[in-house]
Amino acid sequence: MERFFRFVRVGSGRVVIHQHEFGNCMVVLLQGSIAVDRRQPWGELLRLAESRPGEILGEMSLLDSGQRFSACTTLTDCEIAVLPADGLDEMMGSDPRLAAALIALLARKLSLRLRAVNARLTDRPNQEAPYGTRSGQ
């Protein structure tokens, strides 16, 4: 798999993914730690997570070339592996079973994230139903 990735050492305090940029790659953290932050519209910086080795960042933009949801900044010196979209395309052509396994992994990861967000939104007590309607009306 490593032939499809680019390997990079990044110093502490460096932004490796910018919020709102259009992306077409994902990052696998090999060593170090990375902060995942989101700047809210009112200016507050919200820490979403601190990634550890083995974690994947930016996979949504690898799949859809869309805007990044959050910023990722190294907290320590890091080693990362970057899989660009053309690397994934090359993998699909030369090793489709490996590419299918990777895409299945990403699909499971995204599904778990969606379920966690859904649980956070639906487990709030005393919340009105959407659009101001109440159950039983």
Side-chain angles (χ1 to χ4, degrees):
M1 182 176 278
E2 70 184 41
R3 67 186 168 118
F4 304 106
F5 284 82
R6 290 187 307 231
F7 296 88
V8 183
R9 291 181 192 259
V10 183
S12 179
R14 301 286 307 270
V15 178
V16 293
I17 293 176
H18 294 269
Q19 182 175 325
H20 299 306
E21 74 180 351
F22 286 91
N24 63 352
C25 67
M26 73 173 200
V27 171
V28 180
L29 180 57
L30 302 174
Q31 285 187 335
S33 62
I34 294 179
V36 180
D37 297 317
R38 178 162 176 79
R39 175 88 46 203
Q40 300 295 352
W42 53 90
E44 178 186 2
L45 187 64
L46 178 64
R47 173 72 41 97
L48 302 175
E50 288 187 13
S51 296
R52 303 286 178 224
E55 294 190 40
I56 299 171
L57 304 165
E59 69 280 359
M60 287 174 52
S61 291
L62 170 68
L63 298 174
D64 68 7
S65 298
Q67 280 189 321
R68 304 288 192 177
F69 178 77
S70 56
C72 298
T73 307
T74 57
L75 295 172
T76 63
D77 290 348
C78 293
E79 285 188 38
I80 60 174
V82 179
L83 178 64
D86 59 354
L88 180 59
D89 292 343
E90 182 184 340
M91 186 188 305
M92 285 191 266
S94 64
D95 196 340
R97 293 181 78 164
L98 180 61
L102 176 61
I103 291 170
L105 171 74
L106 297 179
R108 283 190 298 274
K109 179 178 174 56
L110 292 171
S111 176
L112 289 172
R113 186 180 306 148
L114 181 59
R115 289 182 188 279
V117 168
N118 186 48
R120 288 174 62 188
L121 293 174
T122 58
D123 289 347
R124 293 182 171 204
N126 302 319
Q127 294 292 315
E128 287 191 17
Y131 310 110
T133 61
R134 295 177 190 231
S135 59
Q137 290 184 340

